[in-house]
Each structure stands twice: as structure tokens, then as C-alpha cells.
Amino acid sequence: MNNNDLLKVYLGLSAATIFWGLSFVATKIALETIPPFILIFTRFSIAAFILMLFLLRSGFPKLTIKEHGLLLMTAVFEPGLYFIFETTGLQYTTASKASLIIATIPLTVILFSFLFLKERTRAGSIAGFALSFVGIGILVAGDPQFKLELKGSFLGDILIFGAVLSAAFYFIIVRNLGKTQAALGITFYQFFYGSLLYLPAFLIETRNFQWEGISTVSMGALIYLTFFATVGAYFCYNFALTRISASRTSVFINCIPVVTAIGAWALIGETLTIVQLCGGVLVLFSVIMTSFPFRKRPLKLEESPA
């Protein structure tokens, strides 16, 4: 690969990292005047339509009934449950904290692969998961608003962790499907089936919703989430994955919480306490520790964390 191609790869990775990092902030802004299911359904139905236009040119994948069933099952977890948990959780907790919790998805996938698929893994990976759990505990308990009650920021943190579990189950289910089908087709059907799952709740929320109440800022955030954080980030990241290994892209993806923290501070005035920053550093260290390609069998994940 020449220097020009390598520059394009790193620019694509940088764009995906920024798009996904700011998606947590954009979701907080959009939720100010847009209800959760209207936001989620609109975001993914439009994204599915855009991907469908690309597939009309390149051709739709030929899937068996079993593969359609598997894709429907994956859509239940992601985008289905994942974005229900994440979007609802962001109504109660901060974007910075949410992005740090979401960053533990690769570690959770490694743990689930060990527990449910009996895959061999390094002791360091299990130690990394344990360290990240300690970091999350410090991050959550260090919140000045923290109370051991199922409400407020603690409820939001639990919902965000539900998104982590949903994404981990999704990766376990979809792993083999990615060996026979292209990423574009898989992503389209994920978004399409996910939109169908969100449709009933969307229709319920629209009954008494006043559309004129959507602010210009929230509409801008929705547009950003659809075209940049969903479609744009997907193309940038998968372009990079066709040129370099997943282990090298993970170095960029690990920077997402940093982008979120800066964006949340600059755009909506969020900050983390010193104690929370210490917990966040532990989380980032644990994720980076298990992402570098010094283990014998690296786990390759095409992850879409926002």
C-alpha cells in the first residue's frame, strides 16, 4: 500500500472515530425534543433506505430462509435492544460515561466467547475484563448524582450496560454469517429488520406527538446521526477494514470515548469528576490492553458502537 492509500485509510478511520464519538452527544441533543422510538426508527429506516439504494446497483445478497431468520435474530439484539438500551440510557446518564461503558463491548465479546462458545482466550483478556469492570464501578460511583436506586444516572448506567450485553450477544450470533455474506448486505438487513421491530413503538409514540415541537438543533442532531454516525461511519470503517487488519483499526476505535468526552464538554457542557476520570482511564487501559495484536488468536470484530 502506497502512502496515498494509507492516508485515505487513516482519514477514513479518523472520520469514523469522530462520527461515532460525537453520536453520543448528538443523541443527547436529539432527545431534548424527539422521543426515543421516533428518533431510533427514523434514524435506522432512513439508513436502511440509503443502503438499499446502493444494493439496487450492486445487487441484493442471495440469502436462504435460515440466513434471513438469523439476520432477524441478530436485529433483535442490534440495532434492536442495543439502541433501545443506549438511547433510553442517554436520557439519564452522561454521553461521556455512556461511551466509556460502551467501549467494553470487545472485552465482553471475548468473555462471552469463552463462556458460551468455549473458545480459548488469554488470562490477560479475562484480567482486562475484570479491570474494566472495576473502572466502570469507579466511573459510576464517582458521579456526584450517584445513588444506589433504580433511577437517575444509576438507572441510565444500567441501561447502557444492557446495550453492551446486547452487542456482545449480537457478535456471538453473527460471527459465522459474516464468513459467507458481504458486510453491506448484512448491515442493510440489520437496519431493515431493526426498523420493523421499532415500528410498533414508533406508531404508538406518534399518536399524540406534536411534530412542530421538534427544535432545529434536535433535527440537526437526527440528520447527523442518520447520515454521518450511521451510514457515513459504516462506509469509512469498512473501507479501512478492506485495507488493514481489524487489530490496527481498533487503536482508532478505542479513541471514541475521548472524542465523546471532548464533544460533550464543548457542545453540552458535560464534565467528569477526578474520580470518574480515574475510572475512565482504567476502562480505556483495559480495552487497549486487550486490543493490541500481541495475542495468538486476535478476535476480529466489525463493530458499530453508536
Side-chain angles (χ1 to χ4, degrees):
M1 186 186 304
N2 59 45
N3 290 336
N4 191 38
D5 288 338
L6 196 60
L7 177 62
K8 291 179 181 178
V9 168
Y10 288 137
L11 285 175
L13 278 174
S14 298
T17 301
I18 293 170
F19 291 158
W20 278 329
L22 293 179
S23 70
F24 294 93
V25 183
T27 300
K28 292 278 289 186
I29 294 172
L31 286 170
E32 291 176 0
T33 58
I34 304 176
F37 284 103
I38 291 179
L39 173 63
I40 301 172
F41 174 79
T42 304
R43 173 182 177 180
F44 285 99
S45 59
I46 295 175
F49 177 75
I50 294 171
L51 293 184
M52 183 183 70
L53 296 179
F54 284 98
L55 287 173
L56 285 173
R57 294 187 60 185
S58 62
F60 285 83
K62 295 180 180 180
L63 302 173
T64 64
I65 294 177
K66 181 179 178 181
E67 286 174 326
H68 274 288
L70 185 59
L71 279 168
L72 178 58
M73 186 187 305
T74 62
V76 169
F77 289 101
E78 189 172 338
L81 290 173
Y82 176 90
F83 281 97
I84 291 174
F85 282 128
E86 183 188 279
T87 305
T88 307
L90 280 167
Q91 291 182 298
Y92 302 99
T93 192
T94 65
S96 303
K97 203 194 314 183
S99 67
L100 284 164
I101 296 174
I102 291 295
T104 63
I105 288 174
L107 299 181
T108 308
V109 172
I110 292 173
L111 180 66
F112 279 15
S113 298
F114 172 72
L115 293 176
F116 301 123
L117 301 180
K118 307 303 180 184
E119 291 187 358
R120 296 178 60 186
T121 189
R122 294 187 310 113
S125 297
I126 303 300
F129 180 84
L131 183 63
S132 71
F133 204 74
V134 173
I136 290 174
I138 296 172
L139 190 65
V140 172
D143 191 327
Q145 314 259 328
F146 172 73
K147 290 182 181 178
L148 200 59
E149 301 174 332
L150 275 179
K151 60 182 182 180
S153 65
F154 185 50
L155 173 60
D157 298 334
I158 291 176
L159 289 170
I160 296 297
F161 194 69
V164 172
L165 297 179
S166 300
F169 278 117
Y170 154 74
F171 281 119
I172 295 297
I173 295 171
V174 81
R175 181 175 298 176
N176 291 329
L177 188 62
K179 296 177 180 178
T180 58
Q181 297 295 336
L184 178 62
I186 292 175
T187 306
F188 163 72
Y189 281 110
Q190 270 186 266
F191 290 174
F192 174 72
Y193 286 132
S195 298
L196 292 181
L197 293 172
Y198 295 136
L199 181 59
F202 167 80
L203 294 175
I204 292 172
E205 279 193 340
T206 55
R207 286 179 181 175
N208 300 312
F209 181 64
Q210 303 297 319
W211 291 92
E212 62 274 15
I214 298 178
S215 69
T216 304
V217 175
S218 290
M219 181 57 70
L222 172 59
I223 292 172
Y224 172 84
L225 287 169
T226 303
F227 290 94
F228 292 91
T230 305
V231 178
Y234 159 77
F235 278 113
C236 288
Y237 188 57
N238 280 282
F239 167 76
L241 278 176
T242 62
R243 283 23 183 211
I244 61 176
S245 67
S247 59
R248 291 174 68 186
T249 65
S250 67
V251 177
F252 280 79
I253 300 306
N254 290 337
C255 293
I256 287 175
V258 179
V259 175
T260 303
I262 295 172
W265 168 74
L267 298 174
I268 56 179
E270 284 186 1
T271 57
L272 295 173
T273 65
I274 297 298
V275 174
Q276 286 181 299
L277 284 173
C278 292
V281 169
L282 275 180
V283 172
L284 286 177
F285 177 74
S286 65
V287 173
I288 293 171
M289 181 177 70
T290 55
S291 296
F292 279 106
F294 51 70
R295 56 183 181 274
K296 292 182 180 179
R297 299 174 61 211
L299 184 64
K300 295 185 178 181
L301 300 176
E302 293 188 21
E303 182 182 350
S304 203

